[in-house]
Amino acid sequence: MITISIKRVYEIPSNKDGYRMLIDKIWPRGIKKEAAQLDEWNKTMAPSTELRKWFAHKDERFQEFTKRYESELKTKTKELDRIVRLAKKQPVCLLYSAKNTQANHAIVLKKALENFIP
């Protein structure tokens, strides 16, 4: 069984977070690296720059964004496998900076990880 959670990087770190992995390509504004208490900054799992810019955090584009991002994730099986193996050993918390907690790439990545079969 794997334990993966998602959380805004601006929220207070918790012992329950486990392994804290930032999954954004760009460093979050207004937060110091020490305050983020990261175990890893994994830029490779973030959506491509082109997809991120196209999405622009518009709710009406989230469904199409999800399809496109899932397609990108299919090319990253080694990294998906590594994160799943990590999550089997300890909880993994995927951190993101987007304001929208209902429509963001962390939701899509979490689902992909939970459904990943190598």
Side-chain angles (χ1 to χ4, degrees), residues 66-79:
T66 298
K67 290 178 190 174
R68 293 181 186 189
Y69 184 39
E70 286 173 341
S71 181
E72 288 184 0
L73 290 173
K74 287 178 183 174
T75 68
K76 301 177 182 185
T77 56
K78 284 185 182 181
E79 191 59 19

Side-chain angles (χ1 to χ4, degrees), residues 85-101:
R85 282 187 280 113
L86 185 62
K88 286 180 180 178
K89 296 176 187 173
Q90 63 183 314
V92 171
C93 184
L94 304 175
L95 301 167
Y96 65 96
S97 60
K99 290 180 185 175
N100 188 334
T101 59

